[in-house]
Amino acid sequence: MIMNAAKKKDNKSRTTGIEFNYFRIFMLLWILILLLGVSDFLRHFYSFLEDQEARYRASLPENVTEELADIFREHDMDAICELETDKHVINAYESADDLKAYMLTLIETGRISFTASDEETTDECQVYYIDSGDLRIARAEYKKQLSGNSRDIPVWDLVSLDYYAEPGIDISLSAPENVKLFVNGRELTSSTVRVLRDPPSVQKFYDGFTVLPVMTDADVKGFYLTPEVTAETEDGTPVPVVFDEADGTYRVDYPADCEGREEMEEYACEAVSAYANFISGDLAEGTLRKYFTKDNIYLYYMQHAELKWFTRHLKSEIHSAEVQNFIAYNEDAFYCEVLVEQHLTMAWGSREPEVVMTDGKFYFVKQDGEWKVAAIEF
């Protein structure tokens, strides 16, 4: 009986030991499962945090605008113009390089900075204003796109860039109709209308001989930079251009130079010298006539005027004839003002010559291939 009881007790201890071992194994397995579960949870949790941090960083202004900011800070005008949504309009007398040069003056104003627009920014769209110092020069708009990777991090695509560069310069031009005008080296096109004015006041001196070119006015709008205006005659002779600050007009007068000017001035000096000798009584009317047009009314007036201004003298000498003014209206008409210095030796008194200055303002016209006096302005 005692042996049976001991045997039963030993069997019971063995059973209890086995059960304890199973329980211990179960607990170990359970702990392992928990550890694995917690580890996986933590791994996913940390991945979630990384995704959130990546999404947050991707939405920061310095990351959204990083590429564009580099372009602006490097003053890469080619890249900026390429990215612009609405391209700027350039008139017929400027180029893309002129536009970029103007845009560069804006971007060089000061330090480049990007400012988010709270009013326009949403979860799907971010808007930034770009400043150069205190000058606002551009607006950039970004739309959110998904990158397509497993973490689904958003990518901000630039969808709109507006650069605030507007043409703010308009010019007016005034020049004779036979003078070619050039703006930034390009001849004024037919699309730019030149409005004709009334005939010039000196046309009355040429009536019946030739029609003088009239002055014209023109307007050209939409320049980014102050243009360079030049002019030349039909034969290619440069003509001065004067900018009138009072009304902002580029003015060109009738040309003071032309092909063959020296010969024309020489002839004018000869004609005015003959005129001075005629009115002093030292040149016959027949000799003077060769300088004037046929049946010239001004020559008729001089023939019938009583020339009593000069006392009797022994000798007349032309010491100099200096051109004071010259205007080439066209190939058939020019004006020349000549100051003639005439020395007269009187018949009595001192033999020291008396100096007489004659200012002749003559209008010349070409007849049969030769220059002739059409009129005199007294």
Side-chain angles (χ1 to χ4, degrees):
M1 292 292 295
I2 295 174
M3 290 181 61
N4 289 335
K7 190 175 182 180
K8 289 182 179 179
K9 183 177 181 181
D10 184 55
N11 289 336
K12 185 177 181 180
S13 293
R14 288 181 181 180
T15 301
T16 302
I18 293 172
E19 290 177 352
F20 177 76
N21 288 335
Y22 283 146
F23 176 76
R24 185 165 56 182
I25 293 171
F26 170 77
M27 291 301 296
L28 289 175
L29 291 174
W30 176 248
I31 291 171
L32 179 61
I33 292 172
L34 285 178
L35 289 175
L36 292 174
V38 170
S39 175
D40 185 65
F41 170 78
L42 291 176
R43 182 172 58 82
H44 283 84
F45 180 70
Y46 286 133
S47 177
F48 169 77
L49 292 180
E50 288 176 356
D51 287 349
Q52 289 298 105
E53 182 180 10
R55 295 171 69 88
Y56 169 74
R57 290 185 179 278
S59 298
L60 291 176
E62 59 267 25
N63 291 320
V64 173
T65 65
E66 179 181 6
E67 184 177 352
L68 184 61
D70 288 341
I71 292 174
F72 270 80
R73 292 184 179 118
E74 292 170 3
H75 299 175
D76 189 344
M77 304 315 303
D78 290 331
I80 292 173
C81 289
E82 184 67 26
L83 290 172
E84 276 191 290
T85 307
D86 295 323
K87 308 302 181 184
H88 290 86
V89 176
I90 304 172
N91 69 21
Y93 306 101
E94 283 193 310
S95 65
D97 289 339
D98 295 320
L99 170 61
K100 292 174 185 177
Y102 172 69
M103 295 169 66
L104 184 61
T105 64
L106 302 181
I107 204 172
E108 289 180 333
T109 302
R111 186 178 65 85
I112 297 298
S113 61
F114 282 66
T115 304
S117 173
D118 295 335
E119 296 80 6
E120 299 174 88
T121 294
T122 65
D123 291 339
E124 304 297 324
C125 173
Q126 293 196 36
V127 176
Y128 296 89
Y129 286 101
I130 304 163
D131 298 327
S132 176
D134 295 329
L135 179 66
R136 181 143 293 175
I137 60 173
R139 176 186 181 274
E141 182 176 334
Y142 292 83
K143 287 269 179 86
K144 183 166 66 174
Q145 303 291 337
L146 297 180
S147 65
N149 61 24
S150 59
R151 295 193 299 182
D152 205 26
I153 304 300
V155 174
W156 294 94
D157 287 345
L158 179 67
V159 295
S160 174
L161 177 64
D162 297 321
Y163 198 103
Y164 300 149
E166 297 298 330
I169 299 175
D170 302 330
I171 65 171
S172 296
L173 306 165
S174 176
E177 61 178 328
N178 63 336
V179 169
K180 298 178 183 178
L181 291 171
F182 299 85
V183 181
N184 289 335
R186 302 177 187 180
E187 186 174 357
L188 209 64
T189 62
S190 58
S191 61
T192 303
V193 178
R194 297 179 68 172
V195 180
L196 301 179
R197 291 196 206 170
D198 294 332
S201 59
V202 295
Q203 176 62 56
K204 62 179 180 290
F205 297 127
Y206 290 98
D207 286 342
F209 300 111
T210 186
V211 177
L212 300 183
V214 301
M215 298 295 292
T216 64
D217 296 322
D219 295 316
V220 186
K221 301 181 182 298
F223 288 92
Y224 293 94
L225 300 174
T226 301
E228 178 187 11
V229 179
T230 56
E232 62 182 40
T233 60
E234 292 176 314
D235 62 17
T237 303
V239 182
V241 179
V242 178
F243 180 67
D244 189 343
E245 294 185 1
D247 57 5
T249 299
Y250 292 87
R251 300 192 185 280
V252 178
D253 206 345
Y254 288 100
D257 195 9
C258 67
E259 187 176 351
R261 175 182 172 180
E262 290 185 4
E263 293 80 3
M264 296 158 72
E265 289 184 337
E266 183 179 348
Y267 180 79
C269 289
E270 183 181 331
V272 178
S273 296
Y275 164 75
N277 275 329
F278 174 76
I279 61 176
S280 67
D282 297 289
L283 186 70
E285 178 271 332
T287 305
L288 181 65
R289 182 179 294 276
K290 70 175 184 178
Y291 295 100
F292 285 75
T293 58
K294 184 180 179 180
D295 300 326
N296 189 285
I297 190 64
Y298 293 89
L299 183 59
Y300 174 83
Y301 291 153
M302 288 189 293
Q303 290 172 347
H304 294 80
E306 295 185 17
L307 303 179
K308 300 178 180 180
W309 302 292
F310 294 89
T311 57
R312 191 163 62 89
H313 48 275
L314 301 176
K315 184 171 60 172
S316 171
E317 294 178 340
I318 302 297
H319 274 236
S320 68
E322 182 181 348
V323 174
Q324 302 293 303
N325 193 11
F326 178 89
I327 299 174
Y329 292 109
N330 58 28
E331 60 183 8
D332 293 321
F334 78 92
Y335 162 81
C336 199
E337 180 183 357
V338 179
L339 184 63
V340 173
E341 182 180 322
Q342 184 181 24
H343 289 207
L344 300 177
T345 303
M346 297 303 168
W348 56 80
S350 172
R351 287 296 184 264
E352 185 70 24
E354 181 177 335
V355 179
V356 179
M357 305 300 293
T358 301
D359 186 13
K361 299 178 180 180
F362 281 41
Y363 293 86
F364 296 86
V365 67
K366 186 172 285 187
Q367 281 193 330
D368 300 326
E370 295 183 347
W371 289 111
K372 299 293 181 180
V373 177
I376 303 174
E377 187 175 6
F378 296 104

